[in-house]
Amino acid sequence: MDLGCLRLSFVATLATFLFFHDFCACQKAPNYSFMRNATAAKPVSYYDYIVIGGGTAGCPLAASLSQNASVLLLERGDSPYGNPNITNSGSFSAELADLSPTSPSQRFISEDGVISNRARVLGGGTCINAGFYTRAEPYYAREAGWDGRLVNESYQWVEKKVVFRPPMQRWQSALRDGLVEVGVLPYNGFTYDHLYGTKIGGTIIDQNNQRHTAADLLEYANPSGLTVLLHASVHKILFRNKGKARPVAHGVVFRDATGVEHRAYLRNGPKNEIIVSAGALGSPQLLMLSGVGPADHLKAHNITVVLDQPLVGQGMSDNPMNAIFVPSPVPVEVSLLQVVGITQFGSYIEGASGVNFAGGSPSPRPYRGGFIFEKIVGPLSTGHLELRTRNPNDNPSVTFNYFKEPEDLQRCVQGISTIEKIIESKSFSKFKYDNMSAETLLNMTASMPLNLLPKHSNASTSLEQFCRDTVMTIWHYHGGCQVGKVVDHDYKVLGVDALRVVDGSTFYYSPGTNPQATVMMLGRYMGVRILRERLASYNSK
């Protein structure tokens, strides 16, 4: 196996380790009468709202809007229900290694050399993530200008359907106690809230080891108000210019799995809109493909410019993750992210243990050990996204510029230093070999093919170099359609009408320790807000 394949294989193994618990492969699919394959779609159809992307934000958004409007939800991937690559431990690594065009997980490699994945399935990243659920920092909502009461109601709406308390077994308990022992205080117990110190968070995996996803939030939908089309790849948003002061979005062009083109249009009505919820890569990519973006870049791809908007695709960020692998002298449970240490210096410390995979394929021997990792707040470092092709199914080019800002690197160094103390703590002692020093563990981790970056011999003696050499993703990338630059505070795209973006591409930094809670909340929050605006406009007539 060549080095590139080995690296990809290892990352698939590590991602499996971080992402997976022993899920049941037989989760009962809800009876969604409104969900069908896009091949069954009419050539032309009309709706009050068209939501592009049935992911972490798109599902709760569409479910909410359907209560008082007709909604079309277009998802480029398949249903998560009954898919063993999402729910079965024996085949989960195959999902990450699957390079087919129908895989629920689409691999991409950033220009930085970090291997990553983006979801391609109804439910989005909630189908392939580590399951950890925690709300954003209290000031996050204030800075965003959100209504505090509606934010709390929207979080609760999500939590009632898909969030649970995780079991705490030996390895996770040792990590929790180690965090407290080394001073990540206070201990806050089990809570969804973002609090400095150590806590147990929520999870979207239930007591029967079944994963729940944003797709489950469609159970809230009004079946008569919603149409969900799977394998519906949106190629372009259509705009009207004639007789208008500025471009008005009025329809979309999408193709089904056989390549047949369909068109969906907005019905006549002043409050009808197209809402893009295609994620931090997909949303800026689709705006550009539709003619909204940097004019010179669009012209270079022979795309007609609707609006010269140079900030589309800018401000791309990904929270860098760095880990230390700790082999265990005793068996450990298979556990996902259940505990987090929220430090005062801007690093979040989490861990996962016990997976039976080697080289991306199942191993008959028990896998003893765990990864303790840190990821930084923010981050401050930013990059950009550009088109590679005019095909929306192709990955765009994205650069995150990990550790470009010195403060990001310093936070990583402090995080890794704290992990070293946890490993040496009395609380964690039974899960560490006595003869393995911190330097040995750093060298062991640094020698792993974690990314496509060159290695350096001083990685174990310089924590700065260790951070640079071993940087990975925790799949929290965001930006590209940021508030105040591409969209306003109501998530309406600046310079055009009847078009919004509602997802993580609007964020300046990742909310909380793990963003899925806030992205699902935002979908619900904006669905309620938009319906209130619609009702108010009718009542004022």
Side-chain angles (χ1 to χ4, degrees):
M1 180 180 290
D2 64 35
L3 183 57
C5 291
L6 179 61
R7 285 169 172 159
L8 293 175
S9 177
F10 180 82
V11 170
T13 301
L14 179 59
T16 299
F17 185 88
L18 292 174
F19 275 179
F20 192 73
H21 202 236
D22 187 19
F23 304 139
C24 174
C26 55
Q27 182 178 356
K28 184 178 179 181
N31 183 23
Y32 288 158
S33 59
F34 46 75
M35 184 171 71
R36 60 187 67 97
N37 197 297
T39 53
K42 296 178 181 179
V44 178
S45 54
Y46 297 85
Y47 299 87
D48 297 329
Y49 296 100
I50 300 171
V51 179
I52 303 170
T56 309
C59 285
L61 174 62
S64 299
L65 291 174
S66 72
Q67 299 303 317
N68 200 28
S70 64
V71 182
L72 173 64
L73 176 61
L74 297 167
E75 167 54 44
R76 70 189 184 118
D78 203 350
S79 166
Y81 301 109
N83 185 337
N85 281 349
I86 292 174
T87 58
N88 188 299
S89 62
S91 59
F92 184 79
S93 60
E95 172 189 39
L96 296 172
D98 183 1
L99 302 182
S100 73
T102 58
S103 170
S105 176
Q106 182 176 359
R107 177 179 293 158
F108 70 95
I109 301 173
S110 74
E111 300 303 317
D112 315 274
V114 173
I115 301 162
S116 192
N117 296 81
R118 56 192 292 213
R120 181 170 48 196
V121 61
L122 187 70
T126 61
C127 297
I128 60 171
N129 68 13
F132 198 67
Y133 182 97
T134 179
R135 296 184 179 190
E137 304 90 328
Y139 59 81
Y140 198 100
R142 293 195 297 270
E143 290 185 355
W146 296 336
D147 177 86
R149 175 177 292 182
L150 182 56
V151 165
N152 285 331
E153 290 173 355
S154 299
Y155 274 127
Q156 292 167 6
W157 183 87
V158 172
E159 289 155 8
K160 288 177 183 177
K161 185 68 67 174
V162 299
V163 188
F164 308 88
R165 180 170 182 162
M168 284 292 294
Q169 298 185 49
R170 294 196 310 157
W171 194 91
Q172 288 285 341
S173 296
L175 174 59
R176 173 199 61 198
D177 296 344
L179 281 161
V180 172
E181 183 179 332
V182 304
V184 184
L185 297 168
Y187 174 56
N188 294 306
F190 169 70
T191 179
Y192 298 149
D193 293 335
H194 186 98
L195 304 168
Y196 284 115
T198 297
K199 74 165 191 172
I200 302 167
T203 178
I204 59 172
I205 299 163
D206 68 20
Q207 292 78 7
N208 297 317
N209 294 331
Q210 290 189 339
R211 174 183 289 268
H212 294 254
T213 75
D216 294 2
L217 299 175
L218 294 173
E219 293 177 19
Y220 283 122
N222 171 13
S224 64
L226 178 63
T227 299
V228 177
L229 296 180
L230 303 175
H231 299 291
S233 179
V234 177
H235 283 240
K236 188 177 183 180
I237 300 167
L238 301 173
F239 293 90
R240 279 200 189 102
N241 290 296
K242 188 175 181 180
K244 304 292 182 182
R246 58 188 198 169
V248 180
H250 73 107
V252 301
V253 177
F254 65 95
R255 293 183 182 273
D256 63 32
T258 67
V260 173
E261 182 177 294
H262 305 257
R263 294 191 175 216
Y265 293 101
L266 295 177
R267 289 173 172 163
N268 290 329
K271 291 298 179 179
N272 295 348
E273 296 177 315
I274 295 170
I275 307 171
V276 183
S277 298
L281 268 62
S283 289
Q285 178 187 27
L286 183 58
L287 289 187
M288 291 184 188
L289 291 173
S290 304
V292 179
D296 290 343
H297 182 55
L298 301 185
K299 291 175 183 177
H301 286 272
N302 200 27
I303 297 171
T304 301
V305 178
V306 173
L307 177 69
D308 180 14
Q309 172 46 289
L311 297 178
V312 173
Q314 297 299 309
M316 297 297 299
S317 295
D318 187 23
N319 301 72
M321 180 188 76
N322 295 81
I324 300 179
F325 172 63
V326 188
S328 173
V330 297
V332 300
E333 74 268 16
V334 174
S335 69
L336 286 178
L337 317 187
Q338 299 176 359
V339 172
V340 62
I342 300 175
T343 70
Q344 295 281 352
F345 55 79
S347 176
Y348 303 137
I349 299 173
E350 299 170 327
S353 65
V355 65
N356 292 333
F357 288 91
S361 58
S363 170
R365 292 180 297 176
Y367 190 97
R368 289 189 179 183
F371 286 88
I372 305 177
F373 56 88
E374 68 81 37
K375 57 196 179 190
I376 68 169
V377 173
L380 299 175
S381 303
T382 64
H384 62 279
L385 177 147
E386 295 179 339
L387 298 176
R388 279 199 176 100
T389 73
R390 292 173 59 181
N391 185 345
N393 297 313
D394 292 341
N395 287 318
S397 167
V398 61
T399 303
F400 294 117
N401 289 323
Y402 298 102
F403 300 127
K404 180 180 180 181
E405 296 296 330
E407 189 172 342
D408 288 344
L409 184 60
Q410 188 55 39
R411 285 171 170 169
C412 176
V413 168
Q414 290 180 276
I416 294 296
S417 178
T418 302
I419 292 173
E420 289 180 318
K421 294 174 184 176
I422 294 168
I423 294 169
E424 297 296 336
S425 70
K426 181 179 179 181
S427 300
F428 201 77
S429 59
K430 68 172 62 176
F431 296 107
K432 171 190 172 293
Y433 285 98
D434 292 337
N435 62 347
M436 282 193 172
S437 65
E439 184 175 353
T440 299
L441 295 175
L442 287 172
N443 278 327
M444 179 186 301
T445 304
S447 67
M448 294 175 172
L450 304 172
N451 52 44
L452 304 185
L453 297 170
K455 304 300 178 185
H456 298 83
S457 58
N458 66 332
S460 65
T461 56
S462 166
L463 291 186
E464 288 86 355
Q465 195 64 57
F466 179 85
C467 287
R468 291 191 183 99
D469 284 3
T470 64
V471 63
M472 294 175 284
T473 182
I474 191 70
W475 301 274
H476 294 174
Y477 47 84
H478 52 278
C481 298
Q482 291 172 318
V483 172
K485 294 183 177 180
V486 176
V487 300
D488 66 16
H489 286 274
D490 291 319
Y491 301 93
K492 296 179 179 178
V493 176
L494 298 167
V496 301
D497 289 329
L499 181 64
R500 300 194 205 218
V501 178
V502 177
D503 59 22
S505 71
T506 63
F507 295 162
Y508 281 82
Y509 58 98
S510 188
T513 67
N514 300 70
Q516 72 168 347
T518 301
V519 177
M520 285 189 281
M521 180 281 295
L522 181 62
R524 168 60 177 176
Y525 178 93
M526 286 307 300
V528 173
R529 283 277 310 276
I530 292 169
L531 282 186
R532 286 179 179 175
E533 292 173 11
R534 186 180 190 87
L535 181 61
S537 70
Y538 289 154
N539 290 340
S540 64
K541 291 180 180 179

